[in-house]
Amino acid sequence: MATSQKDNKRILLLPVTQTQLCFDKNDFVKKDFCVDEFVAKCRQKVSLETLRENLEMYFKLLKNAMIELINKDYADFVNLSSNLVGMDKSIEILREPLNKINVVVEETQELMSNKVIELEHALKEQSNLKRRRQLLKHMKGLIDAVDKIEHIQNAEEFKAEQVSERIAGEFNQLQHHAVFCKNLPVLTQIRPRIAEITGNLQKSLERELVEGIVDGEAKKIHRCLNSYALIGKISDAENLVRLHIINPQLQQIMMEHDRQVSVPKLKQLFTRILEFLSHNLRFICDITSGRKTKTGQQFRGILGYDFIVNSAWPAIVTSFENHLAELFATEDSDLFHQRYVQCMQFVGSVERLCGSQASINRMRESESSSNLMTHWSLPMYFQIRFQKIGRAFISSLADPCAEVCDPSLGFRLNASCAVWICIETCWKDEVFIVSLIHRFWKLTLQLISRYTTWVNQMLPVKGEDKVATTEGKLANFNIDQMAALVHDLDILNAKMKALYERVIVPYAEQQKLKDISILKDALTDQLDGLLNKKEEIVHFIVNKLVEQSIGFLRQAQDVPRLFRKTNRAAPTDASSYVGFVAKPCTSFYSVQAVYMDSGMLSDWLTQFVNEISTRFHSVVFDVLTSVRKMEESLMRLQKMRGGRSSAGNLSALGGGEGQLSDDDKIRLQLYLDVENFGKQMTNCGVEMNKVCKYQDLLKLVEESRTPASSGSTTQ
């Protein structure tokens, strides 16, 4: 920072140049200025001759600036030497007192340093003395506590009820002093006496606790448990309750149960264990928690005890492991599920016996709970379910058009019914396990995906009326079955969304999943991929209907042959081919109207009518064009003969008065055909007035009759 300020000051002193130089004048005042680098840099811009001229010019400029600076401050330069006269004497006068002050300061600093060292040493000695005094105090307290406890034990001989509590208080003090005397010889010497005291105290507390529990003396139990808490041996008391109270009772219950693992017997077993915990162990829990006991007594609560979690629960799990090994067998998935549900309900009942949420959390996080859940081979159970469900669905794909297994579900194809039954099975109470929600959810998506693959295989291959089956063979799949597939896709979509909201979401919330929206997005993607196939299926259905009908439209070209020079009566009914054209559509409508939504079916048939009307229009237009040309040709021929025509020609051009010509009969027949086709399609639910292609066709045949009608009237 200081260097940069000096450089800035030097730059300000430099003169301002009037002409442009080939170098930067500020380079000369830089601290790291290098002549070689300066010349090399300038040579890249100009020649050496030009550089020399610029340097000479700048040198003259600097010289003139220096002269101007000296002239400006000349008086100060001259007076500089005169102002310093006598300065040496003044400095000598100040030198001696300054030296004396410096000596005094150094002596004072040395003295203070010595005093600080002495003070630090004294404080350290004082701290050591204080620490030793504390150690002596703890050593004395340790010896006094041991002597006092031994005196109490020898004097009272464990006959007084207050002895154990008094000894426990003193033993607590003994432990406190022993912590500070940990590495001292006195603790090593007195350790045998402490061990003897501890042994005697534990024996007396154990005897008193067992007697109190057996006799149901709440006061004695409270005093004994309080003594255990005072000496920091709560775990010993819990193990004692487990060893002398819980284990014998569980052993008796298990022997009476005789290793039976049927669901009714398990229910009885769990009920007996819960009754034992509720009546026997609850009495001790009430004493330690400060609640009123069943005898109406209430004591001060003792912190630290949790007999349900630390005494009963490990014993229960160990009993299951030793006596009910077959409980966890997975061979029969239905029986495994029933046993698991019964066991989890039992675990929930045990949790409700815990005194607090913290106690419930300790039970869930305990090693015993972990061991119990390890025995329940849930992945193996799911694998068995996966194979059963998957096998049932795959087998249904072998004959997808067979009769549906459950008509009440609303499906029309066996494959669709089977996939829904499989999905529903995953979430049934008799199958589903909450902790396996991620696996059953994945299986649900896999079933939908496999069904989508099957639908893709059922779609037509390159416009052919054949589809690939799951075995790789080719099978005919008619339009009625395709319509049934579209119907099933809508039913499956609605049922899956209802199942998701009614069943899956509550399970996900029960498991406290962080982001349930992920599940909905995954399901939506699968269902959208499935529903996107509907358009392709509908297109196939419409094309098949058109293919079945379009061949009969060619018979409209035979209408002129029926009336030209045949003297047939004017037509009153539609041609027979119209019935054949409409038959595929009417047959399809009669079958599907029972199942399909009327709006959807009408939309499909409207597409069919549009396509048929377009083809029909083309055929009718060609016929009418041919009729018109024939009519014009006959008229020209008549004019060439001067009005002489044969009877056949007269009939073709126009019959007798009040009669229709052959061409008019042809136009009338086509009109009747088109009109009849429209009526049949209207009966199938198609709004013909909204079908533009049909309206164009109808307009064509109506306009073709207008000239003939006028001619007939004139005649």
Side-chain angles (χ1 to χ4, degrees):
M1 184 69 179
T3 303
S4 62
Q5 290 178 354
K6 290 180 180 179
D7 291 342
N8 292 334
K9 289 180 180 179
R10 294 193 190 104
I11 292 172
L12 293 175
L13 293 174
L14 296 177
V16 179
T17 59
Q18 299 296 330
T19 58
Q20 183 69 27
L21 300 175
C22 64
F23 54 81
D24 186 4
K25 60 180 179 141
N26 297 330
D27 291 343
F28 296 109
V29 298
K30 291 181 179 179
K31 190 174 181 181
D32 56 348
F33 176 74
C34 178
V35 176
D36 295 335
E37 293 180 0
F38 175 77
V39 174
K41 180 179 178 182
C42 293
R43 285 195 64 184
Q44 296 176 0
K45 302 178 181 178
V46 297
S47 63
L48 290 175
E49 185 65 24
T50 305
L51 176 62
R52 184 179 64 80
E53 292 175 358
N54 281 279
L55 287 173
E56 288 178 352
M57 185 187 304
Y58 188 60
F59 173 70
K60 291 178 182 179
L61 185 64
L62 286 175
K63 187 175 180 181
N64 293 333
M66 184 181 66
I67 292 172
E68 290 178 1
L69 182 62
I70 293 173
N71 291 336
K72 182 180 179 181
D73 299 325
Y74 180 76
D76 293 335
F77 280 109
V78 172
N79 296 330
L80 182 62
S81 58
S82 61
N83 292 335
L84 296 177
V85 175
M87 185 62 67
D88 294 341
K89 294 181 180 179
S90 300
I91 292 174
E92 288 297 329
I93 293 172
L94 293 174
R95 186 185 302 277
E96 184 176 355
L98 289 175
N99 288 335
K100 290 182 180 180
I101 292 173
N102 186 38
V103 171
V104 172
V105 170
E106 290 178 351
E107 291 177 353
T108 304
Q109 184 178 5
E110 183 179 1
L111 179 62
M112 292 296 295
S113 299
N114 294 334
K115 292 297 183 181
V116 168
I117 293 173
E118 291 177 2
L119 181 60
E120 289 178 349
H121 181 72
L123 291 174
K124 188 175 181 179
E125 288 292 331
Q126 184 179 4
S127 176
N128 291 334
L129 289 173
K130 185 177 180 181
R131 182 176 60 82
R132 292 176 182 178
R133 190 180 300 111
Q134 290 291 336
L135 287 177
L136 287 173
K137 181 180 178 181
H138 288 300
M139 291 169 61
K140 183 177 182 300
L142 178 65
I143 296 173
D144 291 344
V146 171
D147 292 341
K148 190 172 184 179
I149 293 173
E150 289 179 341
H151 175 72
I152 294 173
Q153 288 179 342
N154 294 332
E156 301 292 343
E157 295 181 356
F158 301 96
K159 293 181 181 180
E161 294 180 349
Q162 294 80 8
V163 168
S164 60
E165 200 164 8
R166 289 174 55 192
I167 294 176
E170 294 297 332
F171 190 82
N172 191 27
Q173 291 293 324
L174 186 150
Q175 289 179 315
H176 172 71
H177 295 306
V179 171
F180 293 94
C181 302
K182 187 174 182 180
N183 298 320
L184 298 179
V186 65
L187 182 61
T188 305
Q189 295 175 2
I190 208 171
R191 194 181 298 277
R193 297 171 61 188
I194 296 176
E196 183 179 359
I197 291 172
T198 304
N200 293 335
L201 179 59
Q202 287 182 338
K203 289 179 182 178
S204 64
L205 290 176
E206 179 178 344
R207 183 174 62 253
E208 186 176 356
L209 179 60
V210 173
E211 290 176 354
I213 294 174
V214 172
D215 298 337
E217 297 183 18
K219 188 175 182 180
K220 182 183 290 187
I221 295 173
H222 181 269
R223 183 172 60 249
C224 186
L225 294 177
N226 188 52
S227 299
Y228 271 110
L230 287 174
I231 64 176
K233 298 292 183 179
I234 291 178
S235 60
D236 290 351
E238 292 172 338
N239 290 333
L240 190 64
V241 171
R242 175 183 177 184
L243 181 64
H244 291 279
I245 306 300
I246 298 175
N247 282 348
Q249 187 66 30
L250 285 178
Q251 185 73 19
Q252 181 181 353
I253 294 174
M254 290 298 175
M255 289 180 64
E256 294 176 359
H257 185 69
D258 195 22
R259 300 179 181 272
Q260 299 182 45
V261 291
S262 63
V263 176
K265 291 294 183 180
L266 279 178
K267 192 173 183 180
Q268 294 177 7
L269 172 65
F270 294 151
T271 302
R272 287 200 59 187
I273 294 175
L274 290 173
E275 289 176 353
F276 160 68
L277 296 178
S278 300
H279 291 85
N280 298 63
L281 201 60
R282 186 63 180 268
F283 177 66
I284 303 176
C285 294
D286 290 340
I287 294 174
T288 56
S289 62
R291 296 189 296 265
K292 281 188 177 182
T293 64
K294 57 185 178 182
T295 59
Q297 296 174 293
Q298 188 173 9
F299 300 90
R300 176 178 55 84
I302 307 173
L303 298 177
Y305 284 103
D306 196 342
F307 290 104
I308 296 293
V309 176
N310 298 325
S311 300
W313 184 236
I316 293 171
V317 173
T318 302
S319 297
F320 290 168
E321 293 172 343
N322 295 335
H323 299 88
L324 298 177
E326 295 182 1
L327 173 66
F328 311 104
T330 58
E331 287 78 6
D332 188 337
S333 57
D334 293 332
L335 186 58
F336 177 90
H337 183 274
Q338 295 175 16
R339 292 170 178 170
Y340 177 81
V341 170
Q342 285 288 338
C343 185
M344 292 303 104
Q345 291 176 354
F346 168 73
V347 172
S349 300
V350 175
E351 288 181 349
R352 285 189 287 273
L353 294 177
C354 296
S356 63
Q357 184 61 43
S359 177
I360 294 175
N361 293 336
R362 285 194 297 269
M363 177 177 167
R364 293 175 179 175
E365 296 170 2
S366 66
E367 183 180 357
S368 298
S369 294
S370 178
N371 292 339
L372 178 64
M373 296 308 300
T374 301
H375 289 297
W376 289 108
S377 184
L378 297 183
M380 180 63 69
Y381 166 76
F382 175 78
Q383 191 64 28
I384 295 173
R385 290 294 188 186
F386 178 86
Q387 292 175 357
K388 288 184 178 180
I389 294 172
R391 193 181 300 115
F393 178 55
I394 295 299
S395 63
S396 69
L397 298 182
D399 189 7
C401 301
E403 184 179 355
V404 294
C405 47
D406 189 354
S408 63
L409 294 175
F411 293 100
R412 296 175 59 189
L413 295 179
N414 183 45
S416 306
C417 185
V419 72
W420 169 248
I421 291 176
C422 290
I423 292 174
E424 195 176 32
T425 300
C426 294
W427 304 94
K428 282 185 176 180
D429 293 338
E430 298 81 9
V431 175
F432 180 74
I433 293 177
V434 176
S435 56
L436 292 176
I437 183 173
H438 59 295
R439 295 178 183 266
F440 280 107
W441 174 248
K442 182 179 179 180
L443 177 55
T444 300
L445 297 181
Q446 287 175 329
L447 288 169
I448 299 175
S449 177
R450 182 64 185 87
Y451 180 72
T452 304
T453 302
W454 173 79
V455 171
N456 290 331
Q457 293 173 340
M458 292 300 103
L459 294 178
V461 180
K462 296 181 180 180
E464 299 179 2
D465 187 19
K466 293 182 178 180
V467 293
T469 63
T470 53
E471 289 82 9
K473 301 178 181 179
L474 294 177
N476 292 327
F477 216 55
N478 59 44
I479 56 175
D480 288 328
Q481 293 166 338
M482 281 294 190
L485 181 57
V486 174
H487 171 268
D488 288 353
L489 293 182
D490 290 331
I491 295 295
L492 181 62
N493 179 61
K495 286 183 176 293
M496 272 306 308
K497 290 182 177 179
L499 178 69
Y500 175 79
E501 297 294 339
R502 187 182 72 256
V503 178
I504 299 176
V505 170
Y507 280 139
E509 293 174 346
Q510 181 180 343
Q511 287 295 95
K512 298 180 180 179
L513 299 183
K514 293 182 179 179
D515 191 0
I516 301 179
S517 63
I518 296 177
L519 304 182
K520 187 173 184 179
D521 293 342
L523 179 62
T524 302
D525 289 343
Q526 289 286 347
L527 294 178
D528 288 348
L530 194 57
L531 294 177
N532 289 338
K533 305 299 178 184
K534 287 174 56 178
E535 183 177 353
E536 189 173 351
I537 298 173
V538 171
H539 182 69
F540 169 78
I541 293 173
V542 173
N543 285 345
K544 289 304 296 180
L545 289 173
V546 171
E547 288 176 9
Q548 294 174 14
S549 299
I550 198 171
F552 297 101
L553 286 177
R554 288 194 295 268
Q555 296 183 23
Q557 298 173 352
D558 298 334
V559 172
R561 181 177 56 82
L562 298 176
F563 293 98
R564 196 174 299 283
K565 296 182 181 181
T566 60
N567 291 324
R568 295 184 64 173
T572 57
D573 296 322
S575 302
S576 60
Y577 76 89
V578 178
F580 293 111
V581 171
K583 185 176 180 181
C585 181
T586 55
S587 300
F588 179 77
Y589 175 79
S590 62
V591 174
Q592 303 303 327
V594 181
Y595 307 100
M596 302 297 295
D597 176 71
S598 59
M600 180 186 297
L601 189 57
S602 176
D603 180 64
W604 295 2
L605 298 183
T606 300
Q607 297 180 43
F608 163 78
V609 172
N610 259 320
E611 188 66 27
I612 289 296
S613 297
T614 302
R615 306 292 182 90
F616 207 170
H617 186 283
S618 177
V619 174
V620 170
F621 180 80
D622 292 342
V623 172
L624 292 175
T625 302
S626 176
V627 169
R628 179 177 54 79
K629 289 181 179 179
M630 178 62 73
E631 190 176 29
E632 292 174 353
S633 176
L634 291 174
M635 290 180 68
R636 286 196 301 269
L637 181 60
Q638 184 180 10
K639 289 179 181 180
M640 289 174 60
R641 293 180 177 181
R644 297 187 303 274
S645 302
S646 64
N649 292 337
L650 290 173
S651 175
L653 290 172
E657 188 174 347
Q659 294 181 352
L660 295 177
S661 66
D662 293 345
D663 295 330
D664 291 338
K665 293 176 182 178
I666 294 171
R667 294 186 183 97
L668 177 58
Q669 184 64 65
L670 292 175
Y671 173 77
L672 293 174
D673 294 346
V674 172
E675 185 182 40
N676 182 263
F677 174 74
K679 289 180 179 179
Q680 293 191 59
M681 293 301 99
T682 301
N683 293 335
C684 292
V686 180
E687 297 182 16
M688 300 302 290
N689 58 335
K690 296 182 180 179
V691 182
C692 298
K693 298 295 182 181
Y694 176 76
Q695 293 301 319
D696 293 342
L697 174 61
L698 187 60
K699 183 179 180 181
L700 175 65
V701 294
E702 286 177 343
E703 290 178 350
S704 68
R705 296 184 59 221
T706 302
S709 299
S710 300
S712 301
T713 305
T714 303
Q715 292 174 357

